[in-house]
């Protein structure tokens, strides 16, 4: 991520197509928040969005389970796919507890997210990887930055988040998500952590304060091929590639909105 602008995230918000994506996302979010069911049963929508978001994130990390299977299971430690689903569920639950810390110490939050996802006491858990350590992230097939580059870019990302600014929430969320996928700063679970960080930005920014717009649902619905292609655009660093990634993330949020709108409609009909 590089730009000569004084406020890099604001500059990214002005890329071709991005203002339209930001506006489209804002309107979609406003519509679901205006649904009559949201006024009476928002806690139920939040809970369902969390479950569906976790399912979507796990699917992108190779554990594509049916929603009802995720809903009914209680054992998430018996096999690799189950552990992935369990990690996604834990991260979704943890995200809301870290909102107050994110703007002051984003690197601390990322470390906590990795600790929660990994759920063990390994020496590489909860800290950025060091020189010589490998990464278990088979679905992200990109060149792996070395540990020094990871440290420098994480520090730069942290400074941008702490500084705040006037950038739209969608732009900030997309950049956080893309940067973490590009860096893969941890030895495992980077995709799950990146998508949870995107969720934290969307909630903490005020765009989705009740966490009812699960972008992870949209990423999963768009599919791994589209996810990888859009990420390639981000990694390219070109204006067109960056705009394509941000626009793609906007579409994922809108699909998450559509999912929660369907839940609202089902609740209204008494079917859920």
């Amino acid at each position: 991520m590089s730009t000569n602008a004084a406020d890099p995230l604001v500059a990214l918000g002005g890329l071709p197509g991005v203002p339209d994506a930001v506006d489209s996302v804002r309107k979609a979010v406003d519509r679901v928040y205006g649904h009559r069911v949201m006024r009476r049963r928002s806690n139920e929508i939040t809970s369902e969005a969390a479950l569906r978001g976790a399912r979507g994130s796990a699917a992108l990390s190779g554990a594509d389970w049916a929603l009802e299977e995720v809903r009914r299971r209680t054992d998430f430690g018996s096999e690799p796919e189950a552990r992935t689903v369990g990690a996604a569920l834990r991260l979704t639950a943890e995200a809301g507890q870290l909102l107050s810390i994110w703007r002051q110490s984003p690197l601390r939050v990322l470390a906590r997210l990795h600790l929660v996802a990994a759920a063990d006491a390994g020496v590489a858990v909860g800290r950025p990887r060091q020189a010589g350590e490998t990464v278990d992230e088979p679905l992200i097939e990109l060149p792996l930055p070395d540990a020094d580059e990871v440290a420098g870019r994480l520090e730069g990302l942290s400074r941008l988040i702490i500084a705040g600014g006037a950038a739209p929430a969608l732009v900030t969320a997309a950049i956080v998500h893309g940067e973490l996928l590009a860096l893969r700063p941890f030895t495992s679970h980077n995709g799950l952590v990146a998508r949870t960080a995107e969720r934290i930005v969307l909630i903490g920014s005020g765009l989705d304060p009740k966490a009812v717009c699960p972008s992870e649902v949209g990423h999963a619905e768009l599919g791994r091929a589209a996810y990888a292609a859009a990420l390639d655009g981000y990694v390219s660093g070109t204006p067109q590639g960056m705009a394509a990634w941000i626009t793609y993330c906007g579409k994922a949020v809108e699909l998450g909105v559509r999912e929660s709108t369907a839940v609202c409609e089902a609740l209204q009909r008494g079917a859920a």
Side-chain angles (χ1 to χ4, degrees):
M1 179 177 61
S2 63
T3 175
N4 293 323
D7 187 334
L9 296 182
V10 170
L12 292 170
L15 291 173
V18 171
D20 289 341
V22 169
D23 185 57
S24 182
V25 165
R26 177 76 267 175
K27 289 177 179 176
V29 173
D30 286 347
R31 283 194 297 272
V32 73
Y33 271 81
H35 197 286
R36 62 189 303 177
V37 170
M38 278 292 295
R39 293 194 290 272
R40 295 178 287 110
R41 304 176 70 175
S42 64
N43 288 343
E44 294 172 70
I45 309 302
T46 297
S47 296
E48 190 65 20
L51 182 71
R52 295 178 185 224
R55 192 218 73 83
S57 192
L60 284 169
S61 286
D64 193 359
W65 288 13
L67 179 63
E68 292 311 312
E69 177 70 5
V70 177
R71 196 189 301 280
R72 74 169 188 85
R73 282 284 288 265
T74 57
D75 174 18
F76 295 102
S78 58
E79 58 186 11
E81 285 195 7
R83 288 195 292 272
T84 297
V85 174
L89 289 167
R90 290 193 300 274
L91 286 172
T92 300
E94 188 76 7
Q97 310 302 314
L98 298 172
L99 294 171
S100 63
I101 305 171
W102 175 254
R103 284 294 296 272
Q104 286 74 43
S105 185
L107 298 186
R108 178 181 165 195
V109 169
L110 293 175
R112 173 63 184 170
L113 292 176
H114 186 244
L115 183 66
V116 168
D120 63 42
V123 294
V125 171
R127 61 154 174 81
R129 55 187 168 85
Q130 298 175 358
E133 291 181 332
T134 58
V135 173
D136 180 15
E137 204 73 43
L139 300 177
I140 304 296
E141 298 177 355
L142 292 169
L144 192 66
D146 64 29
D148 288 341
E149 182 178 352
V150 168
R153 287 172 63 176
L154 280 178
E155 186 59 36
L157 184 65
S158 177
R159 286 196 299 270
L160 282 174
I161 293 165
I162 293 170
L170 172 63
V171 173
T172 304
I175 297 308
V176 167
H177 185 173
E179 191 72 353
L180 292 174
L181 286 179
L183 293 177
R184 280 145 294 159
F186 302 108
T187 57
S188 64
H189 299 93
N190 290 285
L192 293 175
V193 169
R195 291 184 289 274
T196 305
E198 180 183 58
R199 167 183 281 267
I200 288 172
V201 174
L202 294 172
I203 298 169
S205 67
L207 177 65
D208 180 23
K210 294 185 178 181
V212 298
C213 306
S215 58
E216 305 98 323
V217 168
H219 291 304
E221 185 172 337
L222 290 166
R224 293 183 202 165
Y227 191 60
L231 180 61
D232 284 344
Y234 176 83
V235 172
S236 76
T238 66
Q240 296 82 2
M242 299 288 279
W245 169 251
I246 295 168
T247 301
Y248 162 84
C249 289
K251 180 63 174 175
V253 175
E254 290 189 58
L255 289 171
V257 168
R258 187 178 72 177
E259 185 87 354
S260 286
T261 301
V263 173
C264 288
E265 294 294 332
L267 287 171
Q268 186 167 282
R269 294 192 304 270

